[in-house]
Amino acid sequence: MNKSASQPRIDLIPETAPFPAEQRAWLNGFFAALVLPEGSAATPLSLEGNAAITGSLSGDADDGETPWHDVMLSIEERLALADGRPLRRRMMAAMAQQDCGQCGYNCETYADALAAQKENRVNLCAPGGKETARMLKTLALELETTETAASLPGEAVTPSIPVPDRGRSRDCPASARFLSRRRLNREGSEKETWHIEIDLSQSGLDYKVGDSLGVFPRNDLGLVDQIIGMLGASHITPVRGKTLREVLQSELSLSPAPDDLFELISFITGGAQREKARRLAQGEDPDGDAAALDVLAALQKFPGARPHPEAFVEALSPLQPRLYSISSSPKVARGRLSLTVDAVRYVVGKRKRLGVASTFLGERIAQGDELSIYIQAAHGFALPEDPTIAVIMIGPGTGVAPFRAFLQDRGASKATGKNWLFFGHQRSTHDFFYADEFQAMKSSGLLTRLSLAWSRDGAEKFYVQDRMRQAGLDLWAWLAEGAHVYVCGDGQRMAKDVERALVDIVAQFGARSIDEAVAFVAQLKKAGRYQQDVY
Ligand SMILES: Cc1cc2nc3c(=O)[nH]c(=O)nc-3n(C[C@H](O)[C@H](O)[C@H](O)COP(=O)(O)OP(=O)(O)OC[C@H]3O[C@@H](n4cnc5c(N)ncnc54)[C@H](O)[C@@H]3O)c2cc1C
Ligand SMILES: NC(=O)c1ccc[n+]([C@@H]2O[C@H](COP(=O)([O-])OP(=O)(O)OC[C@H]3O[C@@H](n4cnc5c(N)ncnc54)[C@H](OP(=O)(O)O)[C@@H]3O)[C@@H](O)[C@H]2O)c1
């Protein structure tokens, strides 16, 4: 990133650290380039606040089209589509295109903020991971050439960015209390999904259905202690004014191993090991195992390297918050909210790996514990304002979360519009989340239709989109009456397949060609009648 020549020298590696003076000087320079000096930290941004940045960047003669904004394209394809466009557009093409909000922006406004140098963290795009961070780092080098910086329209304007309210942005979290967890799958299920309750009464925060909750997780202490063991350090080694154990548990990501860690290792090892670490730092994969290297696996791969704790923590990336769709309505759960969380667990080699936030919520946090949270307001994912409008909700797996909230809300406000829920999961006997609640809603008439799809009950896979096709005639009739359609859950495959099914239904039952049906669905999206919350 562009650093002013007048910036003070920053000594991140203490005098007492066991490095020769030359290496300490190099490491100081290396880390100073990575961490922000006091006062130059990016200003916290809300999604609304980002308008200031976007506005400041208009006028660079860009045509406004974003053909790369498609989650199905590879990063190479996206960048090729953005070739020749202004830096901010190429930066946008490097993002994962999910507009998931985890970075605190959407893909476009994050890129605009980087290009305008109002943000300098290049590692915020969670779904893009290291691939996106590396490309952003490369593109950001262009900001250091005077010509590029001078030609950036954003340079001339100082946007007025609002300071976010506490608990309303990842940059200003609030404290809440963990109330309870309850497993939603029956014993024997292949899934581990939790209904989580959180008390908001101390925080004074409120929310709307459709919003998500940002959760700052804490790492598993077993993993932290193994890492401290590999460093040959003590739990109570002081770093950043805390103990090493505290910093590794709460402040740093322990998976995947960042390039800077390999860079550091390359300086404290020699020979073939040094070369291997250097190549890993440059995004190469010398042994074909790069994707599986979390921080512990990286240390185990280079057992001769014992980074000093101070240098080690500076080489790691900050632990990022995770978003979860809120699965309750504030009209029903006053002062509380609930989440529906799938615990991510998998095995690499002989070691069990844990998704940090989902297992923090699903296992480690105890009843009554405080946790850091913020409400991520939904943008373009909300119930229709007119309570008489019908809604069709498609949410397999944990994708059902916001629809439980929608239904609670429509029930509490006595909305008269019809409600149709498509839910699907692996097995009817084990994975029917909130079955009693949905059955009761059906009996009361609140849930007009409940259509279920079990992918592993039979010999053949059967998904929500198959159920949609079966009910195509009725679905078309609801659409023709003005229903709004909502999709939540997996954005990689499910959301695409569901959209394809909808296009086919419009074509078949709406008597249109496929091209006309595609245009019809595009029009639904434009009119806010087809809304997605997908990841
Ligand atoms: C707007 C939004 C709403 C969301 N709502 C929900 C929700 O309601 N419920 C919900 O459960 N989640 C939801 N998510 C997803 C959630 O934010 C987290 O991404 C998810 O819980 C995983 O986070 P984690 O910290 O547990 O895992 P991480 O520590 O981030 O680990 C996940 C990573 O592990 C790796 N991985 C996972 N499985 C495997 C495997 N089998 N083999 C190899 N590698 C693997 C992948 O690299 C994956 O990216 C939502 C996301 C967004 C953006
Ligand atoms: N709001 C969000 O952004 C959001 C919401 C929900 C989940 N997620 C994330 O996604 C991950 C998985 O979530 P999950 O446990 O809810 O369920 P899941 O593993 O996605 O599975 C739910 C159901 O969808 C089926 N499915 C698989 N491929 C499909 C396709 N192409 N079309 C339609 N259905 C398909 C599955 O069947 P089979 O497995 O049998 O093939 C299963 O029956 C979690 O890690 C979670 O964090 C994000």
Side-chain angles (χ1 to χ4, degrees):
M1 283 285 148
N2 222 0
K3 302 255 167 170
S4 120
S6 61
Q7 266 173 19
R9 202 188 104 123
I10 309 164
D11 282 343
L12 295 165
I13 310 299
E15 292 285 322
T16 49
F19 298 114
E22 195 189 331
Q23 200 173 35
R24 184 164 52 246
W26 185 91
L27 286 167
N28 269 324
F30 171 72
F31 289 120
L34 297 174
V35 297
L36 295 173
E38 204 68 45
S40 77
T43 315
L45 297 169
S46 67
L47 288 168
E48 287 87 352
N50 295 336
I53 287 165
T54 315
S56 78
L57 281 158
S58 57
D60 58 3
D62 186 67
D63 65 8
E65 297 297 319
T66 56
W68 53 81
H69 196 48
D70 179 344
V71 287
M72 299 307 276
L73 298 174
S74 69
I75 190 164
E76 291 80 16
E77 291 169 317
R78 301 197 303 269
L79 287 163
L81 287 167
D83 196 29
R85 303 286 288 273
L87 178 64
R88 67 188 179 95
R89 293 319 223 173
R90 285 177 284 132
M91 284 181 148
M92 182 187 171
M95 311 296 175
Q97 312 304 319
Q98 293 186 3
D99 279 340
C100 63
Q102 291 180 94
C103 57
Y105 304 86
N106 60 38
C107 300
E108 182 170 20
T109 53
Y110 180 24
D112 287 351
L114 285 168
Q117 295 179 275
K118 305 301 174 200
E119 170 64 81
N120 45 14
R121 294 167 292 181
V122 293
N123 58 359
L124 297 183
C125 179
K130 282 167 73 163
E131 202 177 45
T132 294
R134 272 189 204 118
M135 183 47 64
L136 290 176
K137 207 168 161 185
T138 305
L139 290 169
L141 292 175
E142 289 184 30
L143 290 168
E144 296 187 359
T145 65
T146 20
E147 306 83 59
T148 314
S151 70
L152 270 172
E155 287 291 288
V157 185
T158 311
S160 60
I161 297 163
V163 175
D165 295 336
R166 182 158 298 283
R168 294 277 160 204
S169 130
R170 55 177 279 153
D171 295 301
C172 194
S175 183
R177 205 159 51 87
F178 184 84
L179 287 176
S180 63
R181 68 172 71 80
R182 167 171 64 87
R183 187 155 175 205
L184 289 168
N185 334 77
R186 289 244 168 86
E187 203 52 50
S189 169
E190 288 175 42
K191 288 294 231 180
E192 181 195 326
T193 314
W194 296 94
H195 176 76
I196 305 287
E197 296 266 344
I198 290 172
D199 177 12
L200 287 182
S201 57
Q202 313 272 316
S203 70
L205 284 172
D206 59 3
Y207 61 96
K208 292 196 180 71
V209 292
D211 289 351
S212 300
L213 187 78
V215 174
F216 284 84
R218 292 193 282 272
N219 282 306
D220 173 42
L221 271 183
L223 177 63
V224 167
D225 289 348
Q226 284 187 72
I227 289 172
I228 294 174
M230 286 300 294
L231 295 176
S234 153
H235 291 170
I236 56 166
T237 304
V239 280
R240 297 182 175 178
K242 296 183 181 161
T243 69
L244 178 60
R245 199 179 200 221
E246 284 165 348
V247 169
L248 290 178
Q249 188 187 16
S250 305
E251 294 182 9
L252 296 166
S253 167
L254 301 181
S255 169
D259 295 347
D260 295 338
L261 177 60
F262 294 118
E263 189 85 45
L264 175 62
I265 290 173
S266 78
F267 281 102
I268 54 175
T269 47
Q273 294 289 83
R274 167 175 295 203
E275 178 55 16
K276 198 171 271 185
R278 198 192 56 77
R279 289 181 61 192
L280 281 161
Q282 288 175 354
E284 295 177 33
D285 193 0
D287 297 332
D289 61 352
L293 295 176
D294 65 355
V295 170
L296 177 59
L299 291 174
Q300 287 167 337
K301 188 174 175 72
F302 296 96
R306 286 268 178 109
H308 185 274
E310 293 265 4
F312 177 70
V313 300
E314 294 308 334
L316 299 188
S317 305
L319 186 51
Q320 308 276 1
R322 307 297 199 262
L323 288 177
Y324 293 93
S325 308
I326 296 173
S327 58
S328 55
S329 160
K331 296 191 176 104
V332 174
R334 287 182 198 283
R336 285 181 296 123
L337 60 72
S338 72
L339 309 175
T340 307
V341 177
D342 175 51
V344 174
R345 295 177 196 273
Y346 56 100
V347 176
V348 177
K350 288 187 183 149
R351 182 150 62 85
K352 285 184 187 159
R353 305 280 179 101
L354 306 176
V356 56
S358 57
T359 59
F360 169 65
L361 292 168
E363 179 179 357
R364 292 192 294 284
I365 189 167
Q367 196 173 5
D369 282 0
E370 298 285 318
L371 74 165
S372 254
I373 53 106
Y374 63 96
I375 304 289
Q376 173 89 48
H379 291 263
F381 194 76
L383 279 168
E385 276 182 21
D386 179 348
T388 65
I389 289 178
V391 298
I392 300 168
M393 299 162 282
I394 303 150
T398 50
V400 77
F403 303 139
R404 176 178 184 262
F406 278 16
L407 285 163
Q408 284 188 351
D409 213 77
R410 298 261 280 192
S413 60
K414 304 207 177 337
T416 54
K418 295 186 289 181
N419 301 301
W420 187 349
L421 175 66
F422 286 86
F423 173 70
H425 215 325
Q426 294 184 355
R427 293 185 178 84
S428 54
T429 43
H430 290 75
D431 307 300
F432 192 172
F433 304 163
Y434 307 114
D436 293 348
E437 289 181 29
F438 291 144
Q439 297 295 4
M441 287 175 183
K442 198 149 179 280
S443 305
S444 73
L446 172 64
L447 192 46
T448 319
R449 280 184 80 157
L450 175 61
S451 297
L452 303 166
W454 306 109
S455 57
R456 303 190 191 185
D457 269 4
E460 304 268 310
K461 291 272 182 182
F462 191 82
Y463 291 148
V464 281
Q465 61 271 26
D466 300 313
R467 192 62 83 202
M468 286 168 66
R469 287 177 199 278
Q470 282 183 347
L473 181 59
D474 292 347
L475 225 154
W476 168 250
W478 280 51
L479 275 181
E481 287 168 16
H484 287 207
V485 182
Y486 299 86
V487 183
C488 181
D490 169 51
Q492 299 292 323
R493 295 163 302 143
M494 182 277 293
K496 292 271 164 194
D497 294 348
V498 163
E499 187 167 336
R500 210 159 293 142
L502 196 66
V503 166
D504 290 346
I505 288 165
V506 170
Q508 184 180 351
F509 298 101
R512 284 166 164 81
S513 70
I514 287 291
D515 283 351
E516 288 166 343
V518 167
F520 183 94
V521 171
Q523 192 50 41
L524 285 182
K525 282 186 186 169
K526 231 176 182 170
R529 284 184 53 200
Y530 187 95
Q531 301 185 4
Q532 295 174 300
D533 181 19
V534 296
Y535 180 54

